[in-house]
Amino acid sequence: MADKQISLPAKLINGGVAGLIGVTCVFPIDLAKTRLQNQQHGSRLYTSMYVLSFTHKTRHQRFCVTFLVCCFFFLYFRSDCLIKTIRSEGYFGMYRGAAVNLTLVTPEKAIKLAANDLFRHHLSKDGKLTLLKEMLAGCGAGTCQVIVTTPMEMLKIQLQDAGRIAAQRKLMPESVPAGTVEAKSPTAMQITRQLLREKGIAGLYKGLGATLLRDVPFSIIYFPLFANLNNFGKRGAEGPAPFYVSFISGCLAGSTAAVAVNPVDVIKTRLQSLNRGSTEDTYDGVTDCIRKILRNEGPSAFLKGAYCRALVIAPLFGIAQVIYFLGVGEYILSFLPKRDN
């Protein structure tokens, strides 16, 4: 990403377009991740997601696209969580909370990717960056993005998890107190109004600390790892890497960073969930959440949804890097009239 001249408007457009395309593709897997992370012992509605492993290698550039399509096809039709979601809520149930995510992912991804570029640009000397400076640039990008990430994740999790609670009432009635009346799933606007009325703007930033603990380390790992992996595929000393190298580098760096910070993502998901089943724990903060998870579910609970998260993040950032490679933002801005100096 540091190969091109820094243009903030173009970077913002690239990040926004990448976010919209990526989230549309991977949202059902993200929904499965949220529901798997949220369910606790005594209310295990879903078992897991199955993962397909491809070992065949090819030199053809379209391998990346074929791999991604095959993975998604297999996951959609073999995932226990998604199968139960479709059965209880219909196909569009897999896209609960997608509207909020698609609305806010544009500024979120735009801020994250553009901020990293700007920090790298200002920290570099003679076009070179040390590993420490790459990590500092990622840290700055992760810190900036939580302004949008926290309320987006807060609303998305409520909408995604609402279907799990409804399905739990239908498929596991023993976990629901007798005489409980089923409530209609709220909309994003209803949740927002309720939080603003009861807790003010701070209500939308519940779990801010956990979000920072997740997004800052993620960016510190992801951006330097992507940059170094991408450099291996460059054409010569100055030439850019081919698009498929950028795609694979984005996927590998994204999945690695996603698994590394998954324990914090579990904590964040639990803290930001407002509705709970009758047998599920509630938490007062990060420390209380960690203590209760360890006591009641064991250390393995921190890895819940790890492969789902890896499968969400990998294509999301692979797509983002391809959008940067293609220069979508620069192409769109080229149609605007240029000002004469």
Side-chain angles (χ1 to χ4, degrees), residues 223-245:
F223 286 110
L225 183 56
F226 166 78
N228 286 279
L229 288 173
N230 197 49
N231 284 338
F232 288 133
K234 282 190 173 182
R235 294 170 177 151
E238 301 296 330
F243 86 92
Y244 58 90
V245 172

Side-chain angles (χ1 to χ4, degrees), residues 307-329:
Y307 45 86
C308 291
R309 179 164 166 75
L311 287 168
V312 168
I313 296 298
L316 190 59
F317 280 90
I319 290 169
Q321 301 309 334
V322 171
I323 295 296
Y324 264 73
F325 175 87
L326 295 175
V328 173

Side-chain angles (χ1 to χ4, degrees), residues 35-176:
R35 293 186 178 183
L36 287 170
Q37 287 182 340
N38 250 336
Q39 66 179 7
Q40 303 175 22
H41 287 310
S43 60
R44 292 182 62 84
L45 179 62
Y46 312 112
T47 54
S48 64
M49 285 185 68
Y50 300 92
V51 182
L52 179 62
S53 177
F54 288 85
T55 56
H56 177 68
K57 295 182 180 179
T58 176
R59 294 180 181 179
H60 202 285
Q61 295 181 2
R62 287 180 293 182
F63 165 77
C64 302
V65 178
T66 304
F67 177 85
L68 184 61
V69 171
C70 290
C71 277
F72 278 14
F73 181 84
F74 185 84
L75 284 167
Y76 282 4
F77 288 95
R78 292 296 303 276
S79 165
D80 174 72
C81 183
L82 294 182
I83 286 172
K84 288 180 178 176
T85 297
I86 293 172
R87 286 176 179 172
S88 61
E89 304 166 57
Y91 177 80
F92 290 104
M94 294 193 299
Y95 283 87
R96 276 182 179 268
V100 172
N101 224 30
L102 289 171
T103 300
L104 296 180
V105 76
T106 302
E108 188 261 343
K109 282 292 177 289
I111 291 171
K112 184 187 190 80
L113 297 173
N116 177 70
D117 273 359
L118 288 173
F119 283 124
R120 289 175 68 90
H121 178 71
H122 289 295
L123 288 171
S124 65
K125 289 183 178 180
D126 300 324
K128 296 182 179 180
L129 278 172
T130 63
L131 179 61
L132 178 59
K133 288 184 177 180
E134 287 182 329
M135 295 172 70
L136 285 173
C139 177
T143 304
C144 291
Q145 79 169 87
V146 298
I147 298 170
V148 178
T149 302
T150 307
M152 177 183 74
E153 292 271 315
M154 179 73 180
L155 295 173
K156 182 195 72 174
I157 286 171
Q158 313 317 314
L159 297 170
Q160 284 184 331
D161 206 43
R164 181 183 67 90
I165 300 299
Q168 187 176 313
R169 293 175 183 273
K170 184 185 301 183
L171 301 176
M172 300 176 63
E174 68 278 1
S175 66
V176 181

Side-chain angles (χ1 to χ4, degrees), residues 205-270:
Y205 281 86
K206 183 180 180 182
L208 174 62
T211 306
L212 278 168
L213 287 174
R214 182 198 67 174
D215 288 349
V216 172
F218 177 92
S219 296
I220 290 174
I221 296 169
Y222 171 77
F223 286 110
L225 183 56
F226 166 78
N228 286 279
L229 288 173
N230 197 49
N231 284 338
F232 288 133
K234 282 190 173 182
R235 294 170 177 151
E238 301 296 330
F243 86 92
Y244 58 90
V245 172
S246 295
F247 178 83
I248 294 173
S249 299
C251 289
L252 290 175
S255 58
T256 301
V259 173
V261 303
N262 193 76
V264 187
D265 190 53
V266 172
I267 295 168
K268 182 197 72 65
T269 300
R270 297 281 182 95

